[in-house]
Amino acid sequence: MFQLYKDLKIWYWVLIVIIAIPIAVYGAISEKIEFILLAMIVPFFVVIGVCIVASKRIQELNKIRENNCNIAQYYTALNELRLNCKNAKNLNILNMNIAVAFLDMGRYSDAFNILMGINPITFGKGAFGVKGRGVYYNNLSYAYIGLGDLESAEKVLVNLKQCIDDPKLQKMEKEKNLLFDIYTSKKVILQIETGDFEGAEQILLMLLEKSRSNLWQVCTSYYLARVYLHKGDTEKAKRYIDFAMQYGGDTVYKSELAKMIQQN
C-alpha cells in the first residue's frame, strides 16, 4: 500500500539504510548472530510503519469524497497516485476508485471505459476477492444505469448478488452487509429509472437510516426527492432537495437537482 506514495517509498529505503544495514554490518563484524537476526526483522517493522502512514492518508482521502463530497479533489489526488503506480494490483484499485469518482460526477462513459479495462478475476479467489468483485459489479451496474442501459445493469446485479451469497463471505458480516446494502440501493435505483416507484420510498428511507457517509445521504436524498416529486408531495421533496443541495458538493446528485429546480 505504501508504494502508492513516492515519499513513503523513499522513507522506506532511508530507514533500511540507516537502521537495518548498520546493524547487519555490526553483527557480521562482531560475529553476533542476534544482531544479524535483528537486521533481518527491521524491514518488517519499517513496512508496518510506512503502511500505517499510507493507510491514514487513504482514510483522509476517502473522507474528501464521502464526508465532504468534493469529488474533483478526490479524483485529482487519485490520478496523481495513479501516475506513480507501477504495481498492477494497486493500479486496479486506483482505477476502481477513479471510476467511482466519475460515477459521482455523472461521467458515466468515462467510468464505464475504466471498468471495462479491469478484469474482476484479478481481485483474487478469497473473501476479499469476492468483496472486490462485488464492489466492481456495483460500480459497473451504476455505470450502465447512468448510460441508460437498464437491461445490462440488471444482468450485472445478478453477479453482485452471487458475490453476496458466496460462502467465503459468511465470516465477514460487515463486508457482506455492505454489499447487500449497495445491492439494495442499486435495485431500487434501477426500479426508479424504469419508472416504477412502488415501494421505493420505504426502501430508500431504510437505506437513509443506515447512512454510512454524507455522500450516501446525499445520494439517497436525491432519489427520495424524485420519489416524492413523482407522488406530488413537494413538501417532503423539498426537505431532501435542500439537504442534497447544501451538502452535495460537486456531485451529480446536486447538479441534477439544480437542473430540476431550474426547469420548474
Side-chain angles (χ1 to χ4, degrees), residues 74-92:
Y74 176 72
Y75 165 73
T76 300
L78 287 174
N79 207 34
E80 288 176 1
L81 291 176
R82 182 170 63 169
L83 293 174
N84 297 318
C85 184
K86 307 297 182 185
N87 181 281
K89 186 177 179 180
N90 287 338
L91 191 59
N92 257 0

Side-chain angles (χ1 to χ4, degrees), residues 102-114:
F102 283 144
L103 293 173
D104 291 336
M105 292 188 286
R107 295 171 57 178
Y108 302 112
S109 293
D110 291 328
F112 179 79
N113 290 336
I114 286 182

Side-chain angles (χ1 to χ4, degrees), residues 12-221:
Y12 169 80
W13 287 111
V14 167
L15 291 171
I16 293 297
V17 168
I18 65 175
I19 299 176
I21 292 177
I23 293 174
V25 170
Y26 176 77
I29 293 173
S30 61
E31 297 183 348
K32 293 182 178 180
I33 190 66
E34 62 268 24
F35 283 94
I36 295 174
L37 292 173
L38 179 61
M40 293 171 65
I41 295 171
V42 166
F44 292 101
F45 287 102
V46 174
V47 167
I48 290 170
V50 291
C51 279
I52 289 172
V53 175
S55 179
K56 288 182 178 179
R57 288 186 184 181
I58 290 171
Q59 287 173 14
E60 290 303 312
L61 182 56
N62 287 334
K63 285 179 183 178
I64 293 172
R65 172 182 176 259
E66 295 176 359
N67 294 349
N68 303 338
C69 292
N70 192 336
I71 311 303
Q73 184 182 347
Y74 176 72
Y75 165 73
T76 300
L78 287 174
N79 207 34
E80 288 176 1
L81 291 176
R82 182 170 63 169
L83 293 174
N84 297 318
C85 184
K86 307 297 182 185
N87 181 281
K89 186 177 179 180
N90 287 338
L91 191 59
N92 257 0
I93 294 171
L94 285 172
N95 282 333
M96 273 271 286
N97 286 305
I98 286 172
V100 167
F102 283 144
L103 293 173
D104 291 336
M105 292 188 286
R107 295 171 57 178
Y108 302 112
S109 293
D110 291 328
F112 179 79
N113 290 336
I114 286 182
L115 291 169
M116 284 293 96
I118 299 173
N119 186 346
I121 295 175
T122 59
F123 290 107
K125 297 179 180 179
F128 285 103
V130 174
K131 178 193 172 185
R133 285 193 295 279
V135 174
Y136 171 83
Y137 292 131
N138 167 70
N139 297 336
L140 184 58
S141 69
Y142 200 43
Y144 276 126
I145 290 172
L147 293 170
D149 189 349
L150 305 185
E151 185 178 345
S152 294
E154 191 163 13
K155 288 178 181 178
V156 172
L157 284 176
V158 173
N159 294 330
L160 172 52
K161 186 63 167 62
Q162 288 173 348
C163 291
I164 295 169
D165 295 334
D166 194 303
K168 296 187 186 74
L169 280 186
Q170 280 188 349
K171 294 183 179 180
M172 299 178 67
E173 188 175 348
K174 183 179 178 182
E175 286 76 10
K176 186 170 183 174
N177 289 339
L178 170 63
L179 287 181
F180 183 77
D181 285 345
I182 61 177
Y183 170 78
T184 303
S185 71
K186 293 307 176 294
K187 286 288 286 185
V188 74
I189 289 170
L190 182 60
Q191 177 188 331
I192 290 170
E193 294 300 339
T194 61
D196 179 8
F197 291 81
E198 185 68 32
E201 176 187 0
Q202 290 75 19
I203 295 171
L204 289 169
L205 287 172
M206 178 270 292
L207 290 170
L208 191 63
E209 286 181 6
K210 292 185 174 184
S211 58
R212 301 174 183 276
S213 65
N214 193 46
L215 179 59
W216 181 284
Q217 292 183 52
V218 167
C219 173
T220 310
S221 293

